[in-house]
């Protein structure tokens, strides 16, 4: 069965949320991101290890190794729990630091697997 696309990941205006302090990137992290194109961020303390374990187990059941380790499009709908990670203060803060407040994440998700480039 085809999974319907999750159009946009954005906070609904009618949601009432307690104000959360975003975990903005430091100047050093921004430089690292700009120089290397990625950052390794610590897991958000609001999401327990069991949440990450459930996502990992679900991905194993998808047998990604049979698809060249690529789940294809629409990963947010395909793997429950990723949305909570995207909305966590750690990831939201990093994305807001790079893209600005009010960024929008389109429902199209395609996981690109790349290999490191060795510069000589």
């Amino acid at each position: 069965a085809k999974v319907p696309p999750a159009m946009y990941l954005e906070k609904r205006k009618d949601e009432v949320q307690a104000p959360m302090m975003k975990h903005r990137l430091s100047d050093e992290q921004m430089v690292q991101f700009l120089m290397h194109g990625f950052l390794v961020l610590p897991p958000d303390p609001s999401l327990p290890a069991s949440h990450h374990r459930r996502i990992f187990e679900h991905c194993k059941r998808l047998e990604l190794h049979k698809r060249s380790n690529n789940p294809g499009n629409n990963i947010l709908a395909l793997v429950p729990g990723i949305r909570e990670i995207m909305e966590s203060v750690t990831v939201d803060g990093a994305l807001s630091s790079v893209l600005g407040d009010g960024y929008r994440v389109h429902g199209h998700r395609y996981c690109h697997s790349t290999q490191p480039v060795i510069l000589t």
Side-chain angles (χ1 to χ4, degrees):
K2 247 185 163 186
V3 180
M7 283 312 291
Y8 289 100
L9 173 64
E10 60 184 322
K11 293 172 182 66
R12 294 188 339 230
K13 290 177 178 67
D14 61 336
E15 285 182 334
V16 178
Q17 297 180 1
M20 290 191 305
M21 191 68 174
K22 290 183 188 240
H23 292 190
R24 299 283 185 170
L25 297 178
S26 67
D27 290 344
E28 294 82 17
Q29 288 174 309
M30 284 296 289
V31 168
Q32 181 183 349
F33 174 74
L34 293 171
M35 289 181 64
H36 303 289
F38 70 95
L39 284 175
V40 176
L41 299 171
D44 194 294
S46 69
L47 295 171
S50 60
H51 182 81
H52 299 280
R53 199 168 22 261
R54 278 192 301 275
I55 292 172
F56 177 76
E57 292 300 325
H58 185 82
C59 289
K60 278 183 19 183
R61 286 192 300 277
L62 292 175
E63 297 183 324
L64 298 180
H65 63 281
K66 293 182 181 178
R67 299 189 226 180
S68 301
N69 290 319
N70 196 319
N73 194 6
N74 208 14
I75 191 73
L76 287 178
L78 188 62
V79 181
I82 290 183
R83 179 178 297 272
E84 289 80 5
I85 292 174
M86 294 288 295
E87 293 174 344
S88 72
V89 294
T90 300
V91 174
D92 182 52
L95 290 172
S96 293
S97 296
V98 174
L99 302 173
D101 290 326
Y103 67 89
R104 293 178 69 166
V105 177
H106 194 275
H108 163 74
R109 293 272 124 347
Y110 192 86
C111 298
H112 299 273
S113 177
T114 59
Q115 298 298 316
V117 176
I118 300 172
L119 301 175
T120 57

